[in-house]
Amino acid sequence: MGSTYGSERTVKVKASLKLGGKTLKTFTPTSDRSEIDFRVKKAGWYTLTNTGTRYEPGFVFPAGMLSTATSVTFRFYAKKNTSELTQTMAVQHVPAGLNSYNLAKPSSTTNVALKLTRYLTYGDMKKGANPKLKSLSTKISTDGGRTWRSVPIRKINGVWHAIVPNPASGAVSLRTRATYTNGGYTEATVFRAYAIG
């Protein structure tokens, strides 16, 4: 019995780093191993935004494709001459009850687990204490991101969940913001995270 596996590299990515309202650097990777590099010259509140959109020159993706684009923004305080993990978390959306085609039943309710993680990748970097969560909010869009509305958040068995009322048809986009007591935040968006059918 054989197995099939692979990865998709057909994506356009753009990152930007701002201090206050001023853009310090924009970055478009040239490979899947590219990294953004910036030496902090001034202490302050920085905002890093990274967006990825599925793209393949000369190819039209199917209309019903899921996860067409993602975006994540981190707001964090940084200082000169330090090597430390930012006081932010990664936010992951994990919808429950979908079928093998990532479809939810029409007009049903989907509980989307909101997983907040923070890992130290490089050994020479200080991790420090995890940021304390001040608030957590999720919005959904059923029109491809043109409009957004808030949904309830509940803690179920120790895990935060967004309680999403599904439409009768179409797809659901998800946007969650984790705000910390230190003034920073993470906002993660997945366009067409799952479909209805």
Side-chain angles (χ1 to χ4, degrees):
M1 174 184 247
S3 62
T4 303
Y5 59 90
S7 62
E8 183 176 3
R9 299 180 189 273
T10 53
V11 63
K12 284 198 294 190
V13 177
K14 184 175 182 181
S16 67
L17 182 68
K18 295 182 179 181
L19 175 59
K22 182 181 178 182
T23 299
L24 302 176
K25 187 166 187 175
T26 57
F27 180 72
T28 303
T30 55
S31 76
D32 62 332
R33 298 198 177 272
S34 297
E35 297 178 359
I36 186 169
D37 183 42
F38 181 83
R39 187 168 295 279
V40 172
K41 298 175 183 175
K42 181 180 178 181
W45 285 97
Y46 289 79
T47 304
L48 175 64
T49 300
N50 193 1
T51 60
T53 305
R54 289 198 185 191
Y55 170 77
E56 175 68 26
F59 181 77
V60 178
F61 287 107
M65 185 178 69
L66 296 178
S67 299
T68 52
T70 62
S71 176
V72 64
T73 298
F74 300 100
R75 182 178 190 263
F76 57 92
Y77 190 83
K79 297 178 287 186
K80 289 176 63 175
N81 303 319
T82 59
S83 179
E84 59 188 18
L85 197 60
T86 62
Q87 288 288 303
T88 57
M89 308 278 274
V91 176
Q92 182 183 12
H93 299 98
V94 186
L98 306 181
N99 68 17
S100 59
Y101 296 99
N102 289 321
L103 299 175
K105 292 181 180 178
S107 303
S108 62
T109 298
T110 295
N111 289 0
V112 179
L114 306 173
K115 298 192 175 182
L116 280 68
T117 55
R118 185 168 178 261
Y119 298 111
L120 184 61
T121 304
Y122 301 106
D124 61 345
M125 189 179 289
K126 296 178 184 176
K127 180 178 179 181
N130 287 337
K132 293 182 180 178
L133 189 64
K134 179 180 179 182
S135 64
L136 192 62
S137 62
T138 297
K139 294 181 179 181
I140 66 164
S141 175
T142 56
D143 58 9
R146 288 187 294 276
T147 61
W148 296 86
R149 63 186 173 96
S150 297
V151 296
I153 302 282
R154 293 185 194 145
K155 207 166 196 178
I156 302 172
N157 297 325
V159 178
W160 291 106
H161 288 75
I163 312 303
V164 179
N166 293 314
S169 61
V172 175
S173 299
L174 300 166
R175 173 173 289 162
T176 295
R177 178 176 285 210
T179 303
Y180 315 112
T181 57
N182 63 13
Y185 67 80
T186 303
E187 184 173 272
T189 303
V190 182
F191 291 92
R192 294 183 59 86
Y194 64 91
I196 311 299

